[in-house]
Amino acid sequence: MTTEIAPSPTPVVPQTVKELVAGTVGGWAQVAVGHPFDTLKVRLQTQPSPPIYKNAMDCFHLLVKQEGFKGLYRGVASPLAGVGFCNAVVFMSNGEFRRLLQGGGPNKVLSLPQVGLAGSMAGTVMSFFNCPIELLKVKLQTQDPRGIIGISGQLEAPYKGVIDCGMRTVRDHGAKGIYRGLGITLLRDSPSYGFYFMTYEGLKRVFQSIKTDNAPLTTVELLVAGGLSGFGAWIPAYPQDVLKSCIQNEAKINSSFPP
């Protein structure tokens, strides 16, 4: 008499769909909380010499004084529309690259360098989607309310929004214009996401190792791991991010107006 083992039931929601949804929702939360800080960062990175702002707080005070708190969310439409998708891409890509490195063994535990390699490859994929979104965001975050300097060197009306910015960029520079700064974006995102996922996974393993009852990690522990991973992501990538902002803000560098 033989005993047949019933096959494992197929998950109702495929893993890829879960990663897509998680990345999208996480991206929206990231934009809602982080965009004001990103606006200050970009304006500080792209200000002319001598600088206009003394520091981040000075930039915050001047921006709010001139434009109100809504100025902190200038250009938010571009990342709000695209970052959720980009995060979904990086989560899905990271999952696929991890499964590839597992070699068909879903229970194989990857080493931290392998986790970093999967994250780095996922960051490379994401750069191709992220570059146009960030280009439009930077342009909108730094444009002068009085107008912008067009390709002809003449003063033009400021961008009305992300669609107008995209259309005028393609008009002036062609389709390749929205990919200005792709090279430096690749050099930023590849190491950044590699270190992010490696730090996140490493911290989770550390937290798990100090538990005596083998209980799952709490939400607080996961939040701490994710927050500290942000430091790991930015440390190897911030110099490239400064260069990217300046490259993508090329028209403003030649402008006679301050950001």
Side-chain angles (χ1 to χ4, degrees):
M1 181 177 179
T2 60
T3 302
E4 295 184 357
I5 300 175
S8 302
T10 303
V12 176
V13 181
Q15 184 65 26
T16 301
V17 175
K18 291 181 181 179
E19 291 163 355
L20 176 65
V21 174
T24 301
V25 175
W28 289 339
Q30 174 187 338
V31 172
V33 175
H35 191 80
F37 299 99
D38 185 76
T39 298
L40 300 179
K41 173 182 70 71
V42 170
R43 291 174 76 90
L44 287 167
Q45 288 175 333
T46 59
Q47 64 178 328
S49 182
I52 298 172
Y53 311 114
K54 299 176 182 178
N55 49 47
M57 287 304 299
D58 185 47
C59 180
F60 172 81
H61 288 143
L62 287 175
L63 181 58
V64 172
K65 181 180 179 180
Q66 294 170 357
E67 303 182 31
F69 283 98
K70 70 178 187 299
L72 296 170
Y73 281 91
R74 182 195 289 183
V76 71
S78 179
L80 194 60
V83 167
F85 174 73
C86 285
N87 278 10
V89 167
V90 81
F91 271 82
M92 291 173 61
S93 299
N94 181 62
E96 290 299 324
F97 286 127
R98 285 196 183 195
R99 286 186 279 273
L100 180 64
L101 292 174
Q102 286 174 326
N107 296 323
K108 177 183 177 182
V109 178
L110 298 178
S111 66
L112 289 182
Q114 288 176 316
V115 172
L117 177 60
S120 180
M121 292 189 291
T124 299
V125 173
M126 211 260 291
S127 297
F128 290 91
F129 300 92
N130 201 23
C131 182
I133 292 170
E134 294 214 356
L135 173 75
L136 301 180
K137 175 184 70 70
V138 169
K139 284 176 171 286
L140 289 166
Q141 284 175 321
T142 59
Q143 72 168 337
D144 190 283
R146 293 168 291 183
I148 62 170
I149 301 299
I151 191 173
S152 63
Q154 302 298 315
L155 181 65
E156 297 181 359
Y159 300 121
K160 299 176 182 178
V162 62
I163 296 178
D164 181 50
C165 181
M167 293 178 63
R168 288 164 65 177
T169 300
V170 172
R171 179 199 67 188
D172 292 342
H173 303 284
K176 66 179 182 180
I178 62 173
Y179 275 94
R180 179 194 297 161
L182 176 61
I184 196 66
T185 303
L186 285 164
L187 292 176
R188 182 197 67 171
D189 288 352
S190 181
S192 178
Y193 281 96
F195 276 89
Y196 173 81
F197 283 109
M198 186 166 59
T199 305
Y200 181 62
E201 186 65 29
L203 288 172
K204 288 201 305 179
R205 293 181 185 183
V206 169
F207 292 156
Q208 192 67 62
S209 67
I210 61 179
K211 287 180 175 290
T212 57
D213 55 358
N214 202 32
L217 296 179
T218 65
T219 301
V220 173
E221 289 169 328
L222 292 174
L223 286 173
V224 171
L228 293 177
S229 298
F231 289 99
W234 275 112
I235 289 173
Y238 193 78
Q240 299 95 299
D241 186 68
V242 175
L243 296 177
K244 184 193 74 67
S245 295
C246 293
I247 290 171
Q248 293 184 325
N249 191 46
E250 178 184 19
K252 178 63 72 174
I253 293 176
N254 298 324
S255 171
S256 60
F257 294 127

